Amino acid sequence: MDIMFYIFSTIILVFSVLTVTSRKILRAATYLLFVLIATAGLYFLLNYQFIAAIQLTLYAGGIVVLIIFSILLTSHISQSFEPVGKLKTIASGLASVAGALLTLTVLLEHEFTASTKPPVDVNMESIGLSLLSYERDGFVLPFEVISVLLLAAMIGAIVIAKKSEEKVTNQENNKSL
Amino acid sequence: MNGESLIVFFITSLVLVGGAIVFSNYIAPKSFNKQKIEPYECGIPTTGISWLQFNVGYYLFAILFLIFDVETVFLFPWAVVMKQVGLVGMIEILIFFVILVFGLAYAWKKHALVWE
């Protein structure tokens, strides 16, 4: 099983680096797709089938499509970014090394002890039961609030993407004038 | 499924697909012609690039798809335990559903579903 972990990690690392170094934005989005799919592979390794399925349908299937459409909405897509200057490369390299060092020191200082609790089988059934339970440790309120959040996201997207009727007619009137 | 069988599967598929490509590359007859590179055999020659600015409608449809995609993700755990939780689960999922139907109704009213 270890070797699969290394394969997925290598894919994630290589494509993450390609995502941030690619000078063409559409290619960067495609590399990101590979990173997300390999992450789903890691979830499958951990036996989190539900999370893995979400990762594939939502992130690889939905978010990447959304990102690509947002890129295609902008003009000057085909234009690749100007190569960054040396000073910027050095500065960003230093910043990322500092971030990695900070994370590493925190990780190494923390002692990870195995949990004494018996392992819980995270299957679809237990997720469904705790999601719909209104008793203690139930998640019914967050579950219902999620729908409000989704509603807000939907309305927000429509309001931003759609011009209001009056504005459109006003513009048309101005044009005809 | 263990790691070894996955690796065997991976290598087998790699060899099969790669072998087919390499094999056909060697035995297929080849000829070069300038017309072969063009996207169409006849008609108006294409100009410019194919990366054009897209209609905003694509973005709207994508985000609406994504939101209902998230909704279906939450429907799956409920569907598995539907008989177990019974009426209570039904009411909970109906509330969830109705709130999202408001969003669909709003999209409909704002003509977001109409392709322009």
Side-chain angles (χ1 to χ4, degrees), chain B residues 48-90:
Chain B
I49 43 154
S50 56
W51 281 353
L52 296 171
Q53 195 170 353
F54 266 45
N55 189 340
V56 74
Y58 286 101
Y59 175 78
L60 254 179
F61 271 68
I63 204 156
L64 284 178
F65 161 74
L66 190 69
I67 280 160
F68 288 106
D69 212 21
V70 175
E71 187 192 351
T72 46
V73 160
F74 285 103
L75 288 187
F76 275 114
W78 165 74
V80 172
V81 293
M82 189 181 87
K83 281 187 180 154
Q84 242 172 296
V85 278
L87 189 68
V88 178
M90 200 73 186

Side-chain angles (χ1 to χ4, degrees), chain A residues 17-133:
Chain A
V17 170
L18 281 175
T19 308
V20 289
T21 52
S22 174
R23 298 259 72 92
K24 293 209 155 96
I25 192 162
L26 215 54
R27 263 182 215 171
T30 317
Y31 293 139
L32 184 68
L33 177 69
F34 290 116
V35 175
L36 295 172
I37 289 175
T39 317
L42 278 188
Y43 290 143
F44 272 122
L45 268 188
L46 291 168
N47 259 331
Y48 286 153
Q49 274 91 0
F50 184 57
I51 303 270
I54 291 176
Q55 175 81 15
L56 279 180
T57 55
L58 288 192
Y59 282 85
I63 307 247
V64 168
V65 171
L66 198 65
I67 289 173
I68 286 173
F69 278 158
S70 331
I71 292 168
L72 291 174
L73 271 180
T74 58
S75 46
H76 319 296
I77 324 150
S78 56
Q79 178 188 334
S80 44
F81 293 118
E82 289 169 26
V84 279
K86 255 188 192 155
L87 196 70
K88 259 190 187 168
T89 315
I90 295 167
S92 55
L94 276 178
S96 49
V97 165
L101 277 179
L102 180 72
T103 320
L104 271 178
T105 45
V106 171
L107 272 178
L108 290 176
E109 268 178 18
H110 189 272
E111 231 176 90
F112 289 100
T113 47
S115 168
T116 48
K117 282 183 189 166
V120 187
D121 189 21
V122 190
N123 54 18
M124 205 75 130
E125 210 178 321
S126 55
I127 292 172
L129 281 178
S130 55
L131 198 64
L132 296 172
S133 143

Side-chain angles (χ1 to χ4, degrees), chain A residues 127-147, chain B residues 88-89 91-93 95-96:
Chain A
I127 292 172
L129 281 178
S130 55
L131 198 64
L132 296 172
S133 143
Y134 49 86
E135 282 153 18
R136 205 169 167 272
D137 298 330
F139 291 96
V140 71
L141 185 64
F143 171 62
E144 301 294 359
V145 171
I146 283 167
S147 67
Chain B
V88 178
I91 292 167
E92 283 166 2
I93 211 79
I95 298 170
F96 184 76

